[in-house]
């Protein structure tokens, strides 16, 4: 199926347009630009200073989906980066080496600041130190402590708020020349919370049978605006409203999940997925699922830029900086393993899934280290079988379609057997 | 009393090193009822507070080169470094059963997530993920860290069933100041006369410090320096290198030996940084928590896991160590799949290139067996340095 024939809904078209508008803004030279990460992304704060938000992870994904990341990674490896490290970093560095061209074909300007929001991943630190070498621009560290005992402490929260007040905000003021206005932040946070309400509504619709959405492959699109440069905007509110209306309509019509090739014919398997997807063969990967009748009803990857359902967090205009702190502390990869296990096990139960599938990513220690133990724990807690596949984010060398397909087929057979045994 | 020979001391350390059941620590614990042992992983934990609680801090650095990992592979994928799988292996085979608690410092996502595995698998043990600040201002990172230290203290008090007083911590600070001073003397001595203090010996001496009570380790270092000074060993025509990247998963002892055999005296390294993380004496009076916090913020070593806020300062710690110890070059030896070490390396390399300091890079796992390529690489490096300095 060519790109032209891919079935896209209104909300998908809107989302595509939003993302390209953000790239146009970044490359226009008219706004100050900050680079930052998806987890712990302080979009509302950047908006208070009219600073455009550039997310290198998203750039790496865009390049992977356009089949460009392989050569970028190769370029970074040629210039001295190890084969063993996170490929997002190498895709980003390779992109720089290849002229730093944005997906809209225009060159990225050098960022005016690097917002090193150190949330849920230690590699972020090295990544932005590497970028700082290149850009030599102001860099600010926002250290988000790990919620190691399951719940953030007051000390952690205070520490983040203090860093926001004494490090992050002053630098943003200096870079932008705009004075911080906390009421402006409150207004954005209020908007964030509105969009977040619809987002959570959306996530929960996959409890239905059939699920009207796919919460992994489809989910990454649905999460796009709120995980990137749009949280806190009216556009995000409109987007999630539109998405909600579309899903409501699907429910009314009794439709299952939407795929790039149209409606999913039959929902045979319901899965919870842990770990990011593979991006270099995203379509092929997705196709393996819908062709076998598998829909993903919940995934941890759709929590990587913020967890809104598990403990009902919303950005809170009454406590603006504290709520940014809580947001950062709560992102999925900043939570300890027992909490991650609990989230996944609850998902399996509440979404009546057939089991947990882990897509373990070679690049990503933050997600991957410990996943085998997590799988066994979730199996124990739910009585449902788990399965484990291994791919990479943006390095095409580590996607073996045959292996993944085999593994999935035997997993689905195992589920069938279990069903027969239980029937 | 007859003083000990180098061989006796090194043999003693070697035995501790090879003993993956940690008999010495077990004996310490068994000697008195109620004693407790707290394991810790790299890079840094404030051992002073554990010591002040009357407990033994035990450095857990993986299973080493010879331990067979049978279960560990069911816990970790092939693309994750080896230290967590061999550490899990130690735990599930009962080698750590006497350990009452484990501390996991904030060094990387692997060690971080290992803390969660411990929470899941060893529910009856004290587990502390130990976060250190990446902000180094007293009123920001300092306040956070002070509170983290107080939380650690409270946790250990609960485990000990008694209060840990300021006076006790201050006494422990003094004990560790002395230990650190002797560690530094050993390092200085090795840098001055590397033929008399081979890297493998110094390594074993420091490894003993991961297991022995600190007072005993300090005595051992004193004895070693005395014994080493009394024995003159032949000086070889080796070059002098700093070894960087070994701060977490340990290189096999054979790798260290191979480097020296190939012609590279190791005059500095970043292994077991906990022994010399704090760069100055910590005051042993006043508020010990504040003093420990201050020392961390303003006088602590650099490593890949610690943020350097100032671009211009990045790498200076390494350059200063090269200068101070008189190294001719650097060997970057990083554990395979180690994001912190491997991603830091290009930045360090760039600074060496600017300063015209030669370097080589290699990767290892704690159980790497094949040393021939490493010997060849190090030998060529040593030759090129000699050639370069002769010209
Ligand atoms: S290690 Fe994982 S979370 Fe961190 S930058 Fe890489 S992919 Fe992202
Ligand atoms: S060797 Fe590196 S990646 Fe592995 S646990 Fe240690 S610091 Fe982390």
């Amino acid at each position: 199926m060519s790109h032209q024939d891919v079935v896209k809904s209104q909300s998908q078209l809107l989302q595509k347009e939003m993302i390209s508008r953000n790239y146009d803004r970044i490359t226009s030279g008219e706004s100050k630009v900050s680079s930052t990460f998806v987890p712990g992304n302080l979009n509302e704060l950047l908006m208070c200073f009219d600073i455009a938000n550039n997310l290198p992870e998203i750039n790496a994904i865009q390049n992977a989906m356009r089949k460009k990341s392989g050569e970028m990674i190769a370029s970074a490896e040629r210039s001295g980066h190890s084969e063993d490290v996170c490929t997002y970093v190498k895709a980003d560095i390779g992109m720089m080496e290849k002229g730093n061209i944005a997906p809209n074909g225009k060159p990225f300007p050098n960022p005016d600041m690097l917002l090193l929001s150190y949330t849920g991943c230690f590699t972020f630190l090295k990544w932005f130190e590497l970028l700082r070498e290149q850009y030599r621009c102001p860099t600010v560290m926002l250290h988000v402590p790990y919620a190691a005992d399951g719940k953030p402490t007051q000390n952690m929260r205070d520490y983040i708020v203090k860093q926001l007040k004494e490090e992050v905000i002053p630098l943003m003021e200096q870079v932008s020349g705009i004075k911080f206005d906390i009421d402006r932040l409150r207004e954005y946070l209020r908007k964030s919370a509105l969009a977040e309400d619809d987002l959570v509504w959306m996530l929960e619709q996959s409890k239905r049978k059939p699920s009207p959405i796919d919460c992994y492959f489809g989910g990454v699109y649905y999460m796009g605006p709120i995980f990137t440069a749009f949280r806190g905007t009216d556009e995000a509110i409109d987007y999630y409203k539109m998405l909600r209306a579309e899903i409501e309509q699907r429910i009314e019509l009794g439709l299952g999940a939407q795929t790039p090739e149209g409606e999913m014919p039959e929902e045979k398997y319901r899965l919870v997925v842990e770990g990011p997807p593979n991006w270099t063969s995203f379509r092929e990967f997705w196709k393996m699922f819908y062709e076998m009748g598998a829909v993903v009803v919940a995934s941890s990857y759709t929590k990587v830029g913020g967890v809104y359902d598990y403990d009902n967090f919303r950005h809170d205009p009454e406590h603006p900086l504290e709520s940014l702190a809580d947001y950062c502390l709560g992102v999925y990869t900043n939570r300890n393993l027992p909490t991650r296990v609990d989230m996944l096990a609850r998902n399996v139960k509440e979404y009546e899934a057939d089991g947990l599938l882990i897509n373990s990513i070679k690049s990503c220690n933050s997600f991957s280290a410990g996943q085998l133990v997590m799988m066994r724990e979730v199996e124990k807690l739910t009585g449902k079988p788990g399965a484990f596949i291994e791919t990479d984010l943006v390095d095409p060398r580590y996607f073996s379609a045959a292996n993944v397909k085999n593994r999935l087929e035997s997993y689905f057979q195992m589920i069938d057997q279990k069903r027969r045994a239980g029937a | 009393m007859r003083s000990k020979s180098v061989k006796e001391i090194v043999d003693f350390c070697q035995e501790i090193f090879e003993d993956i059941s940690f008999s010495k620590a077990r004996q310490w614990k068994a000697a008195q009822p109620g004693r407790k042992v707290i394991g810790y992983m790299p890079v840094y934990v404030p051992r002073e507070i554990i010591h002040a609680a009357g407990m033994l801090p035990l450095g857990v650095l993986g299973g080493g080169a010879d331990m067979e990992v049978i279960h560990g592979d069911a816990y970790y994928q092939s693309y994750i470094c080896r230290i967590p799988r061999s550490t899990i292996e130690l735990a599930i085979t009962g080698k750590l059963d006497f350990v009452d608690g484990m501390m996991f410092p904030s060094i990387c996502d692997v060690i971080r997530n290992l803390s969660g595995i411990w929470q899941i698998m060893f529910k009856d043990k004290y587990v502390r993920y130990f976060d250190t600040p990446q902000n180094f201002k007293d009123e920001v990172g300092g306040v956070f860290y002070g509170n983290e230290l107080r939380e650690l203290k409270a946790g250990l008090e609960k485990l000990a069933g008694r209060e840990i007083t300021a006076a006790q911590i201050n006494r422990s600070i003094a004990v560790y100041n002395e230990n650190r001073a002797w560690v530094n003397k050993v390092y200085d001595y090795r840098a001055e006369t590397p033929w008399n203090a081979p890297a493998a010996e110094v390594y074993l001496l420091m490894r003993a410090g991961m297991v022995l009570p600190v007072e005993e380790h300090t005595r051992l270092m004193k004895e070693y320096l005395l014994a080493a000074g009394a024995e003159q060993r032949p000086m070889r025509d080796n070059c002098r290198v700093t070894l960087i990247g070994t701060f977490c998963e340990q290189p096999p002892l054979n790798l260290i030996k191979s480097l020296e055999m190939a012609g590279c005296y190791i005059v500095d390294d970043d292994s077991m940084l906990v022994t010399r993380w704090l760069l100055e004496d910590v005051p042993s009076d006043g508020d010990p928590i504040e003093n420990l916090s201050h020392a961390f913020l303003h006088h602590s070593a650099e490593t890949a896991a610690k943020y350097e806020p100032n671009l211009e300062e990045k790498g200076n710690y390494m350059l200063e160590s090269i200068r101070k110890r008189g190294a001719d070059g650097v060997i970057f030896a990083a554990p395979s799949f180690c994001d912190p070490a491997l991603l830091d390396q290009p930045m360090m390399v760039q600074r060496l290139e600017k300063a015209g300091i030669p370097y080589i890079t290699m990767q290892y796992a704690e159980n790497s067996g094949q040393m021939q390529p490493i010997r060849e690489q190090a030998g060529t490096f040593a030759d090129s340095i000699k050639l370069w300095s002769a010209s």
Side-chain angles (χ1 to χ4, degrees):
Chain A
M1 173 183 256
S2 75
H3 268 272
Q4 279 72 31
D5 317 322
V6 167
V7 179
K8 282 205 163 79
S9 65
Q10 277 305 104
S11 65
Q12 270 172 308
L13 294 173
L14 173 62
Q15 201 221 61
K16 206 169 168 220
E17 188 206 310
M18 286 161 82
I19 289 176
S20 63
R21 222 178 319 130
N22 192 47
Y23 278 120
D24 287 343
R25 182 176 174 214
I26 292 167
T27 53
S28 69
E30 282 160 21
S31 303
K32 298 284 181 188
V33 175
S34 162
S35 289
T36 195
F37 298 107
V38 170
N41 167 8
L42 301 179
N43 195 54
E44 300 90 342
L45 199 58
L46 288 165
M47 284 166 62
C48 292
F49 301 94
D50 297 334
I51 300 175
N53 188 354
N54 182 21
L55 296 139
E57 292 148 300
I58 305 294
N59 302 339
I61 293 173
Q62 296 279 343
N63 285 325
M65 293 180 100
R66 292 173 163 81
K67 309 267 182 220
K68 287 184 179 162
S69 56
E71 49 188 275
M72 292 171 173
I73 291 166
S75 164
E77 287 178 3
R78 275 196 300 277
S79 65
H81 286 273
S82 164
E83 198 181 308
D84 284 359
V85 299
C86 171
T87 51
Y88 268 174
V89 182
K90 284 185 288 185
D92 194 28
I93 286 174
M95 180 178 80
M96 273 201 272
E97 291 170 350
K98 292 191 167 297
N100 232 1
I101 305 298
N104 63 2
K106 297 185 187 138
F108 276 114
N110 286 356
D112 298 284
M113 67 177 281
L114 298 171
L115 171 55
L116 203 182
S117 126
Y118 193 51
T119 305
C121 167
F122 280 84
T123 297
F124 288 164
L125 164 57
K126 296 291 108 186
W127 189 346
F128 271 20
E129 278 189 344
L130 284 160
L131 293 197
R132 180 178 67 175
E133 303 269 303
Q134 199 66 29
Y135 295 126
R136 312 189 80 81
C137 64
T139 303
V140 64
M141 152 68 78
L142 176 69
H143 175 199
V144 175
Y146 184 54
D149 291 324
K151 285 209 165 43
T153 63
Q154 193 57 40
N155 188 38
M156 297 173 183
R157 195 171 286 124
D158 293 346
Y159 176 43
I160 299 172
V161 169
K162 225 185 262 173
Q163 292 176 82
L164 291 174
K165 282 186 183 158
E166 297 191 19
E167 309 275 1
V168 178
I169 292 173
L171 181 66
M172 288 180 176
E173 287 185 325
Q174 184 199 316
V175 164
S176 66
I178 293 171
K179 206 152 168 36
F180 177 55
D181 173 0
I182 199 155
D183 290 325
R184 200 171 158 190
L185 178 62
R186 285 182 212 277
E187 183 55 19
Y188 295 143
L189 294 176
R190 197 184 57 73
K191 292 182 183 175
S192 299
L194 282 177
E196 287 156 5
D197 283 342
D198 277 337
L199 176 99
V200 171
W201 178 88
M202 179 271 290
L203 289 174
E204 291 184 339
Q205 297 319 300
S206 48
K207 286 181 182 164
R208 296 172 184 272
K209 289 182 180 174
S211 169
I213 53 169
D214 181 285
C215 241
Y216 186 53
F217 298 103
V220 298
Y221 290 102
Y222 306 146
M223 305 314 287
I226 214 136
F227 280 7
T228 60
F230 298 94
R231 212 181 56 222
T233 65
D234 289 321
E235 291 157 290
I237 297 177
D238 295 343
Y239 169 81
Y240 285 101
K241 273 209 191 98
M242 183 188 275
L243 180 63
R244 182 171 179 152
E246 281 173 8
I247 295 171
E248 277 168 346
Q249 201 187 9
R250 301 184 70 76
I251 295 168
E252 232 165 78
L253 297 172
L255 295 174
Q258 192 193 10
T259 78
E261 296 180 73
E263 310 306 331
M264 205 168 109
E266 189 194 353
E267 178 184 294
K268 286 203 229 146
Y269 308 103
R270 298 166 64 84
L271 303 178
V272 173
V273 174
E274 145 79 11
N278 163 274
W279 299 108
T280 49
S281 303
F282 185 80
R283 277 282 154 74
E284 193 184 351
F285 192 27
W286 187 357
K287 194 172 175 154
M288 289 180 197
F289 284 72
Y290 62 75
E291 278 191 344
M292 293 189 235
V295 64
V296 180
V297 289
S299 70
S300 54
Y301 193 65
T302 48
K303 321 285 159 75
V304 79
V307 173
Y308 298 101
D309 55 350
Y310 180 66
D311 28 30
N312 243 333
F313 168 81
R314 295 288 182 280
H315 283 88
D316 176 4
E318 299 306 313
H319 305 97
L321 296 181
E322 294 74 9
S323 116
L324 288 177
D326 284 336
Y327 156 72
C328 290
L329 284 161
V331 301
Y332 181 71
T333 46
N334 203 52
R335 296 184 183 238
N336 70 351
L337 259 47
T339 308
R340 282 170 59 180
V341 165
D342 184 56
M343 281 167 90
L344 294 167
R346 276 210 229 167
N347 280 165
V348 171
K349 288 181 199 155
E350 288 169 11
Y351 288 70
E352 295 183 55
D354 294 296
L356 172 73
L357 173 76
I358 295 184
N359 183 33
S360 187
I361 294 294
K362 175 183 181 283
S363 268
C364 183
N365 286 339
S366 177
F367 263 102
S368 302
Q371 278 175 331
L372 285 159
V373 176
M374 287 172 63
M375 181 177 75
R376 288 194 289 270
E377 280 300 298
V378 173
E379 283 178 335
K380 233 192 295 174
L381 290 168
T382 60
K384 304 276 176 169
F388 207 82
I389 52 177
E390 297 182 337
T391 69
D392 189 55
L393 295 162
V394 292
D395 192 334
R397 288 172 297 185
Y398 300 105
F399 184 82
S400 159
N403 283 352
V404 171
K405 198 156 193 229
N406 273 343
R407 192 72 204 88
L408 286 177
E409 275 166 358
S410 39
Y411 183 43
F412 296 138
Q413 280 168 12
M414 179 159 64
I415 292 173
D416 287 338
Q417 274 166 15
K418 266 221 146 190
R419 278 189 193 151
R420 279 197 298 273
Chain B
M1 206 179 80
R2 181 183 79 83
S3 56
K4 288 185 192 138
S5 70
V6 168
K7 180 164 186 328
E8 282 172 302
I9 296 167
V10 173
D11 285 351
F12 173 73
C13 295
Q14 176 98 29
E15 206 178 302
I16 296 176
F17 171 70
E18 283 169 6
D19 174 14
I20 54 172
S21 293
F22 305 102
S23 314
K24 284 270 176 247
R26 286 175 191 270
Q27 285 158 16
W28 178 89
K29 180 169 170 165
Q32 259 181 45
R35 276 186 165 176
K36 295 212 156 57
V37 177
I38 301 292
Y40 63 87
M41 295 201 70
V43 171
Y44 170 75
V45 298
R47 296 184 294 178
E48 291 85 346
I49 301 179
I50 305 170
H51 182 265
M55 300 176 185
L56 178 73
L58 173 75
V60 178
L61 305 182
D66 299 326
M67 191 181 76
E68 204 185 342
V69 169
I70 300 162
H71 310 90
D73 291 339
Y75 290 81
Y76 283 100
Q77 304 89 311
S78 56
Y79 41 80
I80 291 176
C81 61
R82 190 163 148 111
I83 183 171
R85 83 190 63 216
S86 64
T87 302
I88 272 285
E89 185 85 19
L90 286 174
I92 52 189
T93 52
K95 310 280 191 305
L96 296 172
D97 55 1
F98 69 106
V99 174
D100 301 280
M102 276 293 281
M103 290 180 66
F104 300 89
S106 52
I107 157 171
C108 77
D109 295 314
V110 176
I111 299 276
R112 182 195 77 173
N113 288 4
L114 186 58
S115 73
I117 293 191
W118 232 263
Q119 288 169 327
I120 290 171
M121 291 181 55
F122 307 104
K123 292 198 168 64
D124 55 327
K125 302 275 184 182
Y126 171 76
V127 178
R128 176 85 193 168
Y129 173 78
F130 183 66
D131 217 341
T132 49
Q134 299 284 11
N135 175 297
F136 305 98
K137 287 189 182 157
D138 292 297
E139 68 287 2
V140 186
V143 172
F144 167 72
Y145 187 49
N147 288 331
E148 290 294 300
L149 290 176
R150 279 181 272 273
E151 254 186 46
L152 168 67
K153 181 169 93 79
L156 293 175
E157 283 172 337
K158 204 167 149 218
L159 193 64
R162 69 159 169 89
E163 193 197 345
I164 306 170
T165 66
Q168 284 164 338
I169 305 178
N170 276 330
R171 266 199 299 280
S172 300
I173 286 176
V175 169
Y176 275 95
N177 281 344
E178 199 202 356
N179 183 265
R180 216 177 304 113
W182 283 94
V183 168
N184 289 329
K185 279 183 199 174
V186 171
Y187 269 73
D188 288 345
Y189 179 75
R190 177 176 68 172
E192 280 156 26
T193 54
W195 53 92
N196 250 2
E201 286 183 9
V202 170
Y203 180 78
L204 289 170
L205 191 59
M206 296 307 152
R207 277 299 290 258
M210 300 292 98
V211 179
L212 295 174
V214 57
E215 299 83 354
E216 211 178 307
H217 182 234
T218 304
R219 258 199 314 278
L220 196 66
M221 289 190 289
K222 288 181 188 171
E223 288 171 348
Y224 176 79
L225 284 180
L226 203 68
E231 283 178 27
Q232 280 309 316
R233 292 186 252 186
M235 180 177 151
R236 295 170 58 189
D237 183 25
N238 280 5
C239 72
R240 302 163 57 90
V241 302
T242 294
L243 184 63
I244 295 181
T246 62
F247 54 85
C248 180
E249 180 172 320
Q250 295 298 286
L253 189 60
N254 263 341
L255 188 146
I256 297 171
K257 286 183 179 164
S258 299
L259 295 181
E260 286 208 336
M261 269 166 12
C264 301
Y265 281 137
I266 298 170
V267 294
D268 207 352
D269 62 62
D270 61 357
S271 194
M272 290 170 275
L273 277 176
V274 67
T275 59
R276 51 199 189 283
W277 179 258
L278 303 179
L279 303 176
E280 292 183 7
D281 272 356
V282 183
S284 54
D285 54 4
D287 181 338
I289 298 291
E290 292 305 317
N291 289 336
L292 283 168
S293 164
H294 191 266
F296 182 95
L297 296 182
H298 304 296
H299 311 290
S300 59
E302 300 292 325
T303 179
K306 189 174 149 195
Y307 180 55
E308 172 49 69
N310 184 351
L311 174 61
E312 306 308 323
E313 286 292 320
K314 177 95 191 156
N316 283 353
Y317 179 83
M318 168 188 72
L319 294 172
E320 174 55 21
S321 124
I322 293 168
R323 192 198 57 77
K324 187 174 147 205
R325 305 275 190 216
D328 306 313
V330 171
I331 295 183
F332 290 100
S336 295
F337 306 109
C338 178
D339 263 24
L342 290 167
L343 285 167
D344 207 47
Q345 199 171 286
M347 294 183 266
M348 294 296 143
V349 158
Q350 198 248 336
R351 278 149 184 85
L352 292 180
E353 284 178 348
K354 205 167 149 214
I357 299 169
Y359 65 89
I360 50 172
T361 66
M362 53 178 67
Q363 279 182 221
Y364 65 84
E366 61 181 10
N367 65 334
S368 297
Q370 261 294 346
M371 288 301 144
Q372 190 52 28
I374 284 178
R375 263 204 296 275
E376 277 167 21
Q377 196 190 359
T380 314
F381 185 52
D383 291 344
S384 75
I385 286 182
K386 278 181 259 169
L387 222 88
W388 182 73
S389 54
S391 64

